[in-house]
């Protein structure tokens, strides 16, 4: 304990010297003793980088909170100081462009270990926080830094599971809810932010509040998809449903883009139908070479029976094919009818007849499928590399133009990672949240999940791929395709204002209400950092 106090005191003294705190060091020490304020070089180094490996920003210290109250005390200290310091919450560090970094500030490491409440309800809270699964209420209370794989394991013990997912489960609850959280279930259930009943949030003023549709609703809608700008999510109450036992996982191929998108749009239009008359998951991806389909999500195809893209006619598309990926969940009660249900749905689709590939696996294995690909890449040293990913929402009315200009144009015939494409229903997204989507009933996610590799191939270099991203933006701008970035990254406030469009005044007003000193998530680069904002001048940029 003595060693811990020495380390905390040293860290506090450095913070005092660097940022000019005016509070008593003993008071700050008392506020943080429940957890750990670390200046260990390994902690600082980890918090200085992220999955993208394209930016680095070193914090002064890293906080490992023992509770939501620890986070509250830290933010309150930052808010109360004469010259504040930035505070950023970090989950699993899977951001791409330094969004969770805090240069010369404090990074709160939310993931790693379970946290509980203090036992004393804070303002607006009715109960303490812990990992709680309610079979009767069909919900789970999860710590904001808990990973979705941990949520899945905890809920499956009760035969339950969340309704909406991300493709990769080693992401934090608070991290995905601060963006949206999407996967192939979103057409039916909406994104993860549409499946949260309430959240506990530490605002930029250091207030710990419980929020829902009924209570503190403005903050509730602000933090969901709010990019960490309004508060740090310390607890989320996640809606659950009975978990299926198994999944029938199906892939079919298309050589015609119009037929591919028509079928995808038809399948997501069935969201209101009984479960027996729709698929549970609808995604897709673009195939430009055989290597992609046989290596991406390698748990699907057997190495002894790889898919030969060259054996399928691409119909003059320059070798490009499109893969529709769909699943049907089932358990013992529906096992006898699953084949007939799938056959009835497939009969209405216009894919290449000889291209149906099917596998059957446990539900948990399907949800955790990308982790298996991660382990394979790690074993080859291909995981910890720069990731110039680009995620876009493209309006349905322009997706064919995007195909011609990007898939068949800018991308060429090589890619160093998967290119996902699938549609979602806009009415499944709550427009009161901070997320912005295209102004159409249906829009597509296009995710270019590429890795920069030192393979000797110029098209795999970081410079080439980042330039390719710029070319895609330029094409969309010149073609008048009104895309919206998902997991957005901009470097000027004007770009952010353009991104939010009509939502910008509300976004700005919410910032001034919940984080007036601009302490939180400065790595997003939406607002000027706290060092340029005085208590008396909250309206300065």
């Amino acid at each position: 304990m003595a060693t811990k106090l020495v380390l905390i005191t040293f860290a506090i003294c450095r913070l005092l010297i660097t940022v000019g705190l005016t509070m008593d060091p003993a008071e700050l020490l008392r506020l943080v003793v429940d957890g750990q304020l670390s200046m260990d070089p390994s902690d600082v180094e980890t918090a200085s980088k992220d999955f993208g490996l394209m930016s680095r920003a070193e914090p002064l210290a890293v906080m490992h909170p023992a509770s939501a109250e620890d986070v509250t005390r830290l933010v309150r200290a930052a808010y109360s100081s004469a010259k504040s310091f930035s505070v950023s919450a970090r989950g699993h560090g899977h951001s791409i462009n330094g969004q969770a970094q805090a240069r010369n500030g404090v990074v709160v490491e939310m993931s790693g270990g379970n946290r509980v409440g203090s036992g004393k309800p804070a303002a607006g809270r009715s109960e303490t926080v812990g990992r709680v699964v309610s079979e009767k209420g069909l919900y789970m209370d999860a710590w904001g830094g808990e990973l979705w794989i941990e949520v899945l394991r905890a809920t499956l013990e009760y035969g339950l599971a969340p309704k909406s997912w991300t493709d990769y489960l080693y992401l934090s609850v608070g991290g995905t809810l601060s963006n949206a959280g999407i996967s192939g279930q979103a057409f039916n259930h909406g994104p993860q932010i549409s499946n949260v009943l309430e959240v506990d949030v530490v605002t930029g003023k250091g207030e710990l509040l419980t929020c829902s549709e009924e209570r503190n609703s403005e903050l509730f809608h602000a933090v969901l998809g709010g990019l960490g700008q309004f508060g740090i999510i310390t607890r989320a109450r996640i809606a659950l449903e009975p978990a299926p036992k198994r999944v029938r996982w199906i892939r079919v191929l298309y050589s015609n883009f119009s037929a591919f998108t028509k079928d995808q749009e038809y399948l997501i239009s069935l969201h209101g139908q009984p479960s027996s008359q729709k698929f549970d998951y609808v995604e897709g991806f673009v195939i430009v070479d055989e290597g992609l389909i046989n290596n991406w999500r390698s748990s699907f195809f057997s190495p002894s029976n790889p898919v030969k893209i060259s054996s399928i006619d691409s119909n003059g598309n320059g070798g490009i094919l499109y893969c529709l990926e769909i699943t049907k969940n089932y358990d013992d009660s529906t096992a006898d009818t699953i084949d007939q249900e799938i056959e009835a749905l497939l009969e209405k689709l216009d894919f290449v007849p000889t291209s149906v590939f099917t596998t059957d696996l446990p539900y948990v294995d399907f949800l955790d499928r990308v982790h298996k690909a991660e382990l394979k890449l790690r074993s080859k040293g291909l995981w910890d590399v720069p990731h110039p990913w680009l995620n876009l929402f493209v309006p349905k009315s322009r997706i064919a133009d995007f195909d011609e200009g990007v898939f068949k144009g800018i991308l060429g015939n090589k890619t160093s990672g998967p290119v996902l494409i699938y549609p979602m229903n806009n009415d499944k997204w709550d427009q009161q949240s901070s997320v912005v989507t295209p102004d159409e009933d249906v829009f597509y996610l296009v995710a270019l999940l590429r890795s920069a590799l030192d393979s000797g191939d110029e098209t795999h270099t970081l410079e080439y791929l980042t330039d390719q991203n710029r070319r895609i933006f330029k094409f969309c701008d010149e073609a008048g395709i009104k895309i919206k970035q998902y997991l957005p990254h901009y470097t000027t406030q004007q770009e952010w204002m353009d991104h939010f469009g009509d939502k910008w005044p509300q976004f700005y007003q919410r910032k001034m209400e919940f984080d007036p000193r601009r302490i939180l998530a400065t790595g997003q680069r939406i607002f000027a950092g706290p060092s340029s904002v005085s208590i008396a001048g909250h309206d300065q940029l």
Side-chain angles (χ1 to χ4, degrees):
M1 181 65 178
T3 302
K4 179 179 177 183
L5 291 177
V6 170
L7 287 173
I8 294 174
T9 303
F10 178 64
I12 292 170
C13 288
R14 184 177 173 189
L15 278 170
L16 290 169
I17 293 169
T18 305
V19 303
L21 290 176
T22 57
M23 68 190 317
D24 185 340
E27 182 181 356
L28 186 56
L29 176 62
R30 180 178 62 81
L31 293 175
V32 299
V33 290
D34 289 344
Q36 181 185 15
L37 188 62
S38 170
M39 293 184 67
D40 184 279
S42 63
D43 280 346
V44 171
E45 177 62 21
T46 297
S48 299
K49 57 187 180 181
D50 58 20
F51 179 70
L53 287 180
M54 295 184 294
S55 64
R56 189 179 189 280
E58 188 171 309
L60 289 170
V62 177
M63 185 183 191
H64 300 276
S67 65
E69 283 70 24
D70 273 357
V71 181
T72 303
R73 292 161 183 160
L74 175 68
V75 177
R76 188 179 298 149
Y79 178 70
S80 301
S81 64
K83 186 178 181 182
S84 192
F85 55 91
S86 61
V87 177
S88 289
R90 185 180 189 271
H92 201 225
H94 215 262
S95 56
I96 300 300
N97 293 288
Q99 287 93 333
Q101 295 169 357
R103 187 181 303 278
N104 294 327
V106 180
V107 170
V108 183
E109 285 282 3
M110 296 291 290
S111 295
N114 296 324
R115 275 76 173 181
V116 296
S118 66
K120 297 183 295 182
R125 299 175 64 218
S126 59
E127 57 186 57
T128 58
V129 182
R131 181 191 286 181
V132 175
V133 177
S134 172
E135 293 180 86
K136 182 178 180 180
L138 290 178
Y139 67 78
M140 173 177 174
D141 283 337
W143 168 253
E146 200 151 6
L147 304 184
W148 284 99
I149 183 65
E150 297 167 339
V151 172
L152 175 62
R153 290 168 179 162
T155 56
L156 283 178
E157 292 182 9
Y158 299 85
L160 302 171
K163 300 176 181 180
S164 189
W165 293 97
T166 58
D167 285 346
Y168 181 58
L169 301 187
Y170 288 74
L171 303 174
S172 68
V173 169
T176 65
L177 296 183
S178 295
N179 288 281
I182 56 175
S183 185
Q185 304 88 4
F187 82 94
N188 192 30
H189 295 294
Q192 290 180 317
I193 58 173
S194 295
N195 294 275
V196 176
L197 304 176
E198 68 179 33
V199 291
D200 283 354
V201 176
V202 178
T203 71
K205 297 178 182 179
E207 301 170 313
L208 178 55
L209 301 173
T210 294
C211 315
S212 67
E213 289 278 3
E214 293 77 29
R215 182 166 45 163
N216 297 312
S217 60
E218 186 73 15
L219 181 58
F220 179 71
H221 295 302
V223 297
L224 296 178
L227 305 176
Q229 294 302 299
F230 314 107
I232 296 174
I233 298 172
T234 59
R235 177 187 66 96
R237 178 162 290 181
I238 303 161
L240 305 177
E241 65 180 358
K245 300 293 185 184
R246 298 191 65 82
V247 171
R248 190 68 56 82
W249 187 6
I250 304 161
R251 285 177 173 172
V252 295
L253 300 180
Y254 293 76
S255 60
N256 182 280
F257 185 74
S258 177
F260 169 68
T261 54
K262 180 181 179 182
D263 282 357
Q264 280 192 320
E265 290 164 16
Y266 165 70
L267 291 176
I268 72 164
S269 74
L270 303 177
H271 62 89
Q273 298 299 315
S275 60
S276 62
Q277 298 176 29
K278 62 186 176 185
F279 285 111
D280 296 293
Y281 163 103
V282 177
E283 283 200 16
F285 53 92
V286 183
I287 305 167
V288 298
D289 58 48
E290 292 180 5
L292 173 60
I293 196 169
N294 289 309
N295 289 323
W296 169 240
R297 299 177 181 177
S298 55
S299 59
F300 187 89
F301 294 112
S302 168
S304 62
N305 186 31
V307 178
K308 294 296 184 181
I309 300 301
S310 57
S311 66
I312 299 175
D313 184 7
S314 63
N315 197 28
N317 282 342
I320 296 178
L321 292 172
Y322 309 93
C323 180
L324 171 63
E325 185 173 60
I326 43 186
T327 71
K328 202 86 169 67
N329 302 333
Y330 69 100
D331 52 31
D332 293 341
S333 65
T334 55
D336 292 339
T337 60
I338 185 73
D339 290 333
Q340 292 89 340
E341 292 173 8
I342 290 174
E343 183 177 353
L345 287 164
L346 290 180
E347 283 179 351
K348 299 178 181 179
L349 306 182
D350 191 23
F351 52 84
V352 177
T354 58
S355 70
V356 181
F357 305 93
T358 303
T359 191
D360 197 283
L361 70 171
Y363 182 62
V364 64
D365 289 353
F366 171 73
L367 291 179
D368 199 28
R369 62 200 179 280
V370 177
H371 184 53
K372 296 180 180 179
E374 174 193 349
L375 295 177
K376 181 177 179 180
L377 291 171
R378 284 188 182 277
S379 70
K380 296 180 178 181
L382 299 176
W383 185 257
D384 294 319
V385 299
H387 296 94
W389 287 8
L390 182 61
N391 293 271
L392 303 173
F393 289 155
V394 182
K396 167 189 168 181
S397 65
R398 302 303 303 276
I399 194 65
D401 298 320
F402 190 93
D403 170 60
E404 289 291 335
V406 178
F407 300 152
K408 295 187 177 79
I410 294 173
L411 292 188
N413 59 359
K414 288 185 178 180
T415 182
S416 59
V419 180
L420 307 186
I421 172 173
Y422 59 90
M424 290 173 280
N425 294 305
N426 212 343
D427 62 3
K428 297 291 183 177
W429 294 64
D430 188 344
Q431 297 305 315
Q432 297 178 90
S433 76
S434 293
V435 177
V436 288
T437 59
D439 188 21
E440 293 190 8
D441 292 341
V442 171
F443 62 91
Y444 279 78
L445 170 74
V446 175
L448 294 90
L449 309 181
R450 299 156 300 166
S451 302
L453 306 174
D454 186 16
S455 62
D457 187 333
E458 180 191 6
T459 64
H460 291 171
T461 65
L462 179 59
E463 294 75 16
Y464 183 90
L465 293 173
T466 52
D467 180 67
Q468 194 173 70
N469 287 345
R470 286 191 289 267
R471 291 167 59 199
I472 291 172
F473 284 128
K474 182 180 179 182
F475 164 75
C476 291
D477 183 56
E478 293 178 348
I481 302 176
K482 296 181 179 180
I483 57 171
K484 292 292 183 183
Q485 282 193 51
Y486 176 57
L487 312 177
H489 169 65
Y490 299 101
T491 56
T492 70
Q493 193 172 77
Q494 184 59 54
E495 289 175 320
W496 281 109
M497 292 171 69
D498 293 340
H499 170 76
F500 284 105
D502 293 342
K503 277 193 172 183
W504 173 255
Q506 180 188 58
F507 193 88
Y508 182 88
Q509 181 181 5
R510 286 172 168 176
K511 183 69 171 179
M512 293 304 98
E513 180 178 355
F514 300 118
D515 184 23
R517 298 200 65 189
R518 300 164 189 175
I519 292 165
L520 302 175
T522 55
Q524 295 279 6
R525 304 182 188 179
I526 302 176
F527 298 96
S531 61
S532 62
V533 181
S534 66
I535 294 177
H538 291 162
D539 59 342
Q540 294 175 315
L541 291 179

